[in-house]
Amino acid sequence: MRFALRCAAAWTCGVLLALLTGCAGLPPLQDRPDTHALAPSDQTPLGRAIMPQARQHPGKTGVVAVQDGRVAFGARVALVRNAARSIDIQTFIWHDDAAGTLLYEEVLRAAERGVRVRILLDDANTTRSIDSILALLASQPNVEVRLYNPFVSRGPKALGFLTDFSRVNHRMHNKSFTVDNLVAVVGGRNIADEYFETGDRTGLVDLDVIAIGAVVGQVSNEFDLFWNSASAYPAKLILAGVQPQTRDALAQRARAIREDPAAAKIVGAIANAEMVRNLMAGRLDTEWTTAAVINDDPSKTLDPPDLQAVELLPRLRAAFGRPTASLALISPYFVPGDPGTELLAELARSGVQVEVLTNSLAATDEMSVQSGYSKHRKALLRAGVQLYELRPEATVITKRARETGRSSSAGLHAKTYAVDGRAIFVGSFNLDPRSAKLNTEMGLVIDSETMARKLAAVVQGSSPELAYRLSLDDDGRILWHEGDRVYTVDPETGAFKRTLVLIGTWLPIDWLL
C-alpha cells in the first residue's frame, strides 16, 4: 500500500510539474535570425572535385545508392572532414552512442577549423545527456543548433505529451546531410549505431542516396524552409538551463570509442571511406539522371486547415504517376488503412504487379504498427498483392553483425518505392498515417531504371534469405513461407505478443500509427 501511495504521489507531482512547465510555453522567436545555405564554391576540395562533373551534366543529378550502413557512416564522416564552407544536418534522431558521439566530435572539429555548421534536430528523442552535448555545440563559434517543435520540459517526454499532445504529436522525420552545398546524403538513416548496422541488438536494413549536381540545391532549399520555419527553435533558448558538456569530455569520450576494440568496425568504416575518396578523385561511379526533392511543408506541424496543400503524399503521387506495370514498396511501418488497401488491391486486380516488403512481427520494433498492418493482410493477399515480411535473421544484416563481433538481429528501416521499373523514391516517408498526416517527411524522386529494377529485384528475391513470403491457404488462413518451411502463425513470436497485436487491431488508433 505504501508503495502504491508513493507511486501515486510521484505521478501526481509529475503531472503538476508537467502542467506548470506546459503553461510556461515556448519562447518567442522574433529575434531569431533567418539564415540560408551558402553558395557552392569551386575553390574548395569538394568544389574542385564535383563542379566540373556537374557542368558536364547541366540540370542533371549524379546519384549513388548506399546500402551498407557502415559505408553510410564512413561516407558521412569523410564528407565532414572534407567540408570547407558549410555542413547542414537535418535528422529525426541523433543519439550519443558510438556512432553519434563520433559524428558530434567530427562536426565540432569542422566548426573549429571555420566551417559553418547548422544542425536541425527533432526534439522527440533527445535526452538529458544529449541536451548537454547540444548545449556544448550551441555554445561554440560557427555552430548553430535548432530543435524542431521542442518540448518545454527537459524531463521525460511523456510529460510533454500529457500536457501539449496536439502540438508535440507532430514530429519532423526528415533526414538530409549536406556538405558545402555540393553533395547531399538523403534517405532513411538516423544517426545512431543501429542505423549504421553496429547496434548491439538490432541492425537495420536501410538505404541512402549520395547526390551531387542539380538536386543538391533543392535539398538545401528544403533545409532552409524547415530551418527558418515557425517550429525551429534555437537550442540556446530551449536549453538555457542545461549545463553543457565540456569540450574535453566529448573529446575524451570520442577517443575512448576509437580505442575500444568493440568499435573497431565502425572506426574502420571512417578509415575506409572509399566512396568519398573516389568522389574526391572524380572516380565515383555515379548515374547522371533527373531527380527532384519531394517534401512536406513545415506548416503541416501547425495543423493548417488545408492539409492537402502542404502534404508530401499528393506530391509523391503526382511525381510518380499511376503505375501501369509494377509497384514495389519497401516500408518498415506499413499501415495502408482502408483507402490504401483498396488502392493497392485495385492496382493488383487491374494487372499491376504490386509487391510489399515490410517488417515481420518478430523483426518490428513497433508492435502497435503491426496491429495497424496485420488487419489488412488478408484483403491485400486476396487481391493479389504480394507480401513479404523481413526475418529477424535476415542474412545480409546478421552476416555483417558477425563481422563486428556482435549478435544483432535484423530490422527493416528503408523507405523506398519503385514504379514501373523507371523511377524510385528514397527518403523518410513511411506508408502509414503518421507519415501522411502527422509528421513531416522528405525524399528524392529519381528517374532511374537501374535503381528501380534493382529495388524490385530485392523485393522479389527477398524470400527466403531476407523475408518470409505470405500466402493464403484454401480456408483463407495466412501462411508464412521460409523456403520449404511453412508457418501458420507469425513466425518466431509467442502467443502473448500475438495476442497484444490482436488486441491492438480492435483499438481506434490507426490515425496515430
Side-chain angles (χ1 to χ4, degrees):
M1 177 63 72
R2 282 194 295 269
F3 176 75
L5 289 172
R6 289 193 192 103
C7 289
W11 184 86
T12 301
C13 289
V15 170
L16 291 173
L17 177 62
L19 290 171
L20 290 172
T21 55
C23 291
L26 291 166
L29 289 178
Q30 67 262 26
D31 295 327
R32 184 202 67 183
D34 286 357
T35 62
H36 298 86
L38 301 179
S41 169
D42 59 6
Q43 300 303 306
T44 65
L46 282 169
R48 288 189 289 271
I50 293 172
M51 293 185 77
Q53 299 179 60
R55 293 189 187 107
Q56 292 174 13
H57 302 88
K60 300 290 187 179
T61 296
V63 292
V64 179
V66 186
Q67 295 171 291
D68 188 314
R70 293 166 303 176
V71 173
F73 180 74
R76 283 167 169 80
V77 173
L79 288 172
V80 169
R81 290 182 176 181
N82 281 282
R85 289 170 57 79
S86 64
I87 300 169
D88 291 336
I89 302 173
Q90 180 180 17
T91 189
F92 179 58
I93 293 172
W94 192 335
H95 283 168
D96 57 344
D97 52 14
T101 298
L102 291 176
L103 203 48
Y104 281 130
E105 168 76 0
E106 291 291 343
V107 297
L108 189 47
R109 286 184 180 182
E112 289 167 346
R113 66 173 190 268
V115 177
R116 187 190 75 172
V117 176
R118 296 189 296 174
I119 297 171
L120 180 58
L121 177 63
D122 186 85
D123 196 35
N125 292 282
T126 58
T127 63
R128 288 177 178 172
S129 61
I130 294 172
D131 276 359
S132 69
I133 296 174
L134 298 178
L136 164 65
L137 291 169
S139 70
Q140 303 301 303
N142 299 320
V143 181
E144 186 174 0
V145 180
R146 292 185 181 178
L147 296 174
Y148 193 86
N149 204 21
F151 291 71
V152 177
S153 169
R154 305 318 295 169
K157 294 295 189 288
L159 297 180
F161 280 105
L162 181 66
T163 60
D164 200 6
F165 180 80
S166 62
R167 177 178 69 85
V168 300
N169 190 39
H170 294 271
R171 306 313 321 164
M172 182 195 74
H173 196 236
N174 312 36
K175 302 166 185 74
S176 67
F177 194 106
T178 306
V179 176
D180 285 354
N181 204 2
L182 285 164
V183 55
V185 184
V186 176
R189 288 186 174 96
N190 294 296
I191 301 174
D193 286 350
E194 58 267 33
Y195 301 98
F196 301 117
E197 298 179 37
T198 58
D200 286 324
R201 291 173 295 176
T202 302
L204 295 171
V205 179
D206 217 323
L207 181 67
D208 285 326
V209 168
I210 293 179
I212 59 177
V215 86
V216 176
Q218 295 182 37
V219 176
S220 292
N221 290 340
E222 182 274 344
F223 181 94
D224 287 347
L225 179 67
F226 279 79
W227 179 258
N228 296 314
S229 72
S231 297
Y233 285 76
K236 286 183 177 180
L237 296 179
I238 303 300
L239 306 179
V242 173
Q243 180 66 35
Q245 186 172 130
T246 67
R247 179 68 182 91
D248 285 345
L250 180 61
Q252 289 173 11
R253 183 145 183 251
R255 189 181 309 116
I257 291 169
R258 288 192 292 268
E259 295 171 354
D260 184 355
K265 287 293 181 180
I266 196 166
V267 174
I270 299 173
N272 299 316
E274 184 178 1
M275 187 171 285
V276 174
R277 284 199 297 273
N278 287 339
L279 173 67
M280 301 300 294
R283 297 191 304 265
L284 188 61
D285 187 18
T286 53
E287 177 185 359
W288 287 92
T289 183
T290 56
V293 172
I294 306 292
N295 60 273
D296 287 304
D297 189 282
S299 62
K300 180 181 178 183
T301 309
L302 306 175
D303 272 335
D306 182 11
L307 273 174
Q308 286 282 325
V310 299
E311 287 178 349
L312 175 149
L313 186 55
R315 300 171 188 179
L316 181 59
R317 288 173 177 160
F320 268 158
R322 181 181 173 85
T324 59
S326 64
L327 176 62
L329 308 174
I330 298 180
S331 179
Y333 310 126
F334 177 58
V335 185
D338 292 333
T341 298
E342 181 51 38
L343 174 62
L344 295 176
E346 190 272 327
L347 286 172
R349 287 191 292 263
S350 70
V352 175
Q353 183 173 324
V354 181
E355 299 165 309
V356 179
L357 174 61
T358 190
N359 274 316
S360 66
L361 178 55
T364 189
D365 60 346
E366 292 287 352
M367 282 203 302
S368 59
V369 169
Q370 203 71 11
S371 296
Y373 154 64
S374 62
K375 59 189 173 186
H376 297 289
R377 287 187 295 206
K378 287 186 178 181
L380 292 167
L381 290 167
R382 279 194 292 265
V385 175
Q386 299 173 46
L387 295 181
Y388 301 89
E389 295 182 359
L390 191 82
R391 297 171 52 227
E393 302 87 5
T395 304
V396 65
I397 287 291
T398 52
K399 178 182 177 182
R400 291 202 283 257
R402 287 193 295 271
E403 291 174 7
T404 66
R406 299 169 186 259
S407 57
S408 298
S409 61
L412 184 65
H413 197 257
K415 311 102 169 51
T416 181
Y417 324 120
V419 171
D420 292 342
R422 59 174 170 77
I424 186 172
F425 171 87
V426 179
S428 67
F429 183 84
N430 288 298
L431 289 166
D432 63 15
R434 175 159 288 279
S435 281
K437 298 297 182 182
L438 296 175
N439 292 348
T440 65
E441 310 284 355
M442 72 164 295
L444 301 182
V445 172
I446 304 166
D447 293 323
S448 171
E449 291 185 4
T450 301
M451 294 179 73
R453 288 173 179 169
K454 282 183 178 179
L455 183 138
V458 166
V459 178
Q460 293 164 8
S462 62
S463 179
E465 286 194 343
L466 278 176
Y468 308 108
R469 178 179 59 83
L470 277 62
S471 71
L472 293 174
D473 67 11
D474 292 340
D475 296 322
R477 294 175 302 186
I478 298 176
L479 303 176
W480 287 258
H481 301 265
E482 181 188 347
D484 294 332
R485 189 172 184 179
V486 179
Y487 300 86
T488 57
V489 295
D490 292 88
E492 301 186 62
T493 62
F496 179 70
K497 194 172 190 178
R498 294 194 297 271
T499 300
L500 289 179
V501 170
L502 177 61
I503 293 171
T505 65
W506 305 335
L507 303 176
I509 58 172
D510 279 16
W511 67 281
L512 287 169
L513 302 179

